[in-house]
Amino acid sequence: MTRLSSFAAQTLQRRIHDGAYKAGDLLPGQRELAAGMGISRTALREAISTLEALGLVRAQPGKGVFVTSGRRRTANELPTGPADVRPEAVFQFRCIVEPAAAALCARQASDAQIAELGAAQQRMDDALHALDLVAASEADLAFHLAIAAHAGNEMLAQVIRQLESPIAYSLRLPFADPGGVWAPVDEHRSVLRAIAARDTDAARSAMQFHLVRAAARIGIQVDAP
């Protein structure tokens, strides 16, 4: 997300948590919301897309954006991601590429780079304790992007960075299940331990397990390659 869309998502999330917008409420129109926050409607739409992926709101064409109650969604109810890329396709791609990135990271990353992964993981943990799904999802993305960046392969890192938008959207979707928000933290810890131990096979397996389980949490079955 851009800085302004992140600000807007945080603001709307806070209003929902504080009860200013209750489950079932229709949000004010986009023009009114954008003007009230001093941002463009483009940034607001990106924020609403983020909140929809996180399960906090649901856009209904022709009616507006409604606050939801955090109900767990079925695979058929998943909102369409950026560029209309199906979540199933994104998770399949991630299961092919990211375990390899984790294995390379375990081999190539410096101690400082591993500490960076740990810091992203701690931010995610802290955000979840604060019930801040927006910040948690941003830290989640930072963790995955850092693994790709520190894998020592510039082409792999570039591909992941170019697909940051659909990847970010896919990792937000499991946060809509209130009972499963802590699972990614535990799975990340397994990935981080393997990378810190310089165990390439364990890092690959831990990342693959994490992605398969993340997909399963939103009702998608992904066969690991």
Side-chain angles (χ1 to χ4, degrees), residues 53-56 70-73 133 172-184 216-218:
L54 293 171
L56 297 177
R71 175 180 59 86
R72 183 172 183 175
R73 299 175 295 214
L133 296 183
R172 291 176 192 134
L173 294 172
F175 283 103
D177 176 14
V181 295
W182 285 102
R217 283 190 282 275
I218 56 174

Side-chain angles (χ1 to χ4, degrees), residues 3 64 74 92 99 116 161:
R3 184 180 63 82
T74 67
Q92 186 66 69
E116 179 186 335
R161 179 62 71 178

Side-chain angles (χ1 to χ4, degrees), residues 194-205:
I195 290 174
R198 311 294 184 178
D199 189 331
T200 58
D201 290 338
R204 181 185 293 107
S205 296

Side-chain angles (χ1 to χ4, degrees), residues 100-111 113-114 147-153 195 198 200:
L104 288 171
C105 188
R107 179 186 303 165
Q108 301 287 343
S110 67
D111 290 343
Q113 289 168 339
I114 292 174
I147 287 175
H150 302 325
N153 185 303
I195 290 174
R198 311 294 184 178
T200 58

Side-chain angles (χ1 to χ4, degrees), residues 4 17 27 93 98 145 151 154 160 166 178 187 207 209 215 220:
L4 287 177
H17 286 169
L27 291 183
F93 170 82
E98 291 195 55
L145 293 180
E154 60 273 20
I160 294 292
E187 292 160 11
M207 180 62 81
F209 177 81
I220 295 175

Side-chain angles (χ1 to χ4, degrees), residues 39-204:
I39 62 172
S40 69
R41 294 175 69 180
T42 299
L44 178 65
R45 283 193 291 270
E46 186 178 357
I48 289 174
S49 176
T50 294
L51 295 180
E52 187 171 24
L54 293 171
L56 297 177
V57 302
R58 186 171 186 177
Q60 296 188 22
K63 296 183 179 180
V65 180
F66 292 84
V67 178
T68 61
S69 57
R71 175 180 59 86
R72 183 172 183 175
R73 299 175 295 214
T74 67
N76 292 331
E77 295 176 310
L78 295 177
T80 303
D84 293 332
V85 179
R86 293 178 298 108
E88 295 93 332
V90 180
F91 273 105
Q92 186 66 69
F93 170 82
R94 295 181 65 194
C95 278
I96 293 170
V97 175
E98 291 195 55
L104 288 171
C105 188
R107 179 186 303 165
Q108 301 287 343
S110 67
D111 290 343
Q113 289 168 339
I114 292 174
E116 179 186 335
L117 294 177
Q121 179 60 22
Q122 187 60 53
R123 290 198 303 274
M124 183 177 175
D125 190 288
D126 292 343
L128 286 176
H129 275 104
L131 303 179
D132 186 346
L133 296 183
V134 174
S137 69
E138 291 177 344
D140 190 354
L141 176 63
F143 181 83
H144 285 271
L145 293 180
I147 287 175
H150 302 325
N153 185 303
E154 60 273 20
M155 182 169 288
L156 185 151
Q158 182 177 1
V159 168
I160 294 292
R161 179 62 71 178
Q162 288 175 340
L163 295 173
E164 178 179 339
S165 183
I167 289 174
Y169 198 82
S170 73
L171 62 80
R172 291 176 192 134
L173 294 172
F175 283 103
D177 176 14
V181 295
W182 285 102
V185 174
D186 294 334
E187 292 160 11
H188 279 196
R189 287 196 184 105
S190 295
V191 174
L192 184 56
R193 279 196 301 269
I195 290 174
R198 311 294 184 178
D199 189 331
T200 58
D201 290 338
R204 181 185 293 107

